[in-house]
Amino acid sequence: MKRWVLLAALLASGWGGAVSTCVYSGGQSLCFDLSNPVDLRLYREYVQRRVEAATPKAGIFDGPMATPQTVTAPDLPYPDPSNLTAFRVDRALDGVTLLGNMSFVPTRVRLAGIEILPGAEAEAAKVMKAFASPGTGVSLELTGRYENGVRTAYVWQLGTLMNLLLVERGLAKPSESGTQYVGELDVAAAFSSQAGTGMNKPK
């Protein structure tokens, strides 16, 4: 089931009340009220246009660790440095959890807004270990939320949002609505479904 179909069903059942989702277009934020049927339709159309416009560079999906870049979010602005926290990776525990040092304090951080797809655990862990190897410096956009006692964050490495990369490559899916970058994650999930990347490859 496509992400927006599931979202529409949840909204129809009264889940969560009004949900506002924002995406980035031409360096500006564009927001939709998904409890409004007109906005929901426009959002679906926007996602589909973004998916159709995404053109992967040659070789980018030849392997899960080919290149640390995304193809669905070329206009995604890098956050204001004042909103980022430096983090030195000691090791990737799995596909979504990093152990490292933040402000001289040993800390575990979980990638926000996503969950690994069933069967993709090993590949997701390989990607994280390749792009966030021991000693790597990454930037955290902390959400202020915790999951099972672990801080959650959007993780930037070499200008790439790792949360988004895992979804685009078909190794993870969006797990939240109405939060930061959920629009970009929806586009990445729809792209992966249509392009057949990762776990979305045709059987």
Side-chain angles (χ1 to χ4, degrees), residues 16-150:
V19 177
S20 178
T21 291
C22 296
V23 291
Y24 293 90
S25 178
Q28 295 184 335
S29 181
L30 180 64
C31 296
F32 300 85
D33 176 2
L34 300 185
S35 64
N36 181 314
V38 174
D39 268 19
L40 181 60
R41 176 178 58 79
L42 292 174
Y43 179 62
R44 293 177 187 168
E45 293 173 354
Y46 176 86
V47 169
Q48 187 58 34
R49 286 197 304 272
R50 283 277 300 276
V51 170
E52 292 171 353
T55 52
K57 296 179 181 179
I60 191 171
F61 292 114
D62 287 350
M65 293 169 282
T67 51
Q69 60 185 194
T70 62
V71 299
T72 60
D75 296 326
L76 187 63
Y78 193 72
D80 186 323
S82 65
N83 295 328
L84 296 174
T85 301
F87 185 85
R88 188 182 72 83
V89 177
D90 288 337
R91 62 191 173 104
L93 300 179
D94 53 34
V96 289
T97 312
L98 298 174
L99 177 65
N101 190 292
M102 183 172 65
S103 302
F104 305 103
V105 177
T107 307
R108 284 192 186 200
V109 173
R110 190 191 188 286
L111 273 65
I114 66 170
E115 60 184 65
I116 300 302
L117 289 168
E121 294 85 359
E123 286 300 319
K126 286 181 184 178
V127 171
M128 289 301 293
K129 288 174 181 177
F131 295 149
S133 56
T136 298
V138 299
S139 297
L140 305 181
E141 201 171 354
L142 295 167
T143 66
R145 299 189 301 277
Y146 291 76
E147 186 169 317
N148 297 322
V150 179

Side-chain angles (χ1 to χ4, degrees), residues 152-176:
T152 64
Y154 293 97
V155 178
W156 294 85
Q157 203 265 353
L158 297 176
T160 295
L161 183 58
M162 293 301 298
N163 315 53
L164 183 66
L165 183 80
L166 290 170
V167 174
E168 189 178 277
R169 297 199 177 183
L171 302 177
K173 65 179 180 179
S175 62
E176 297 175 319

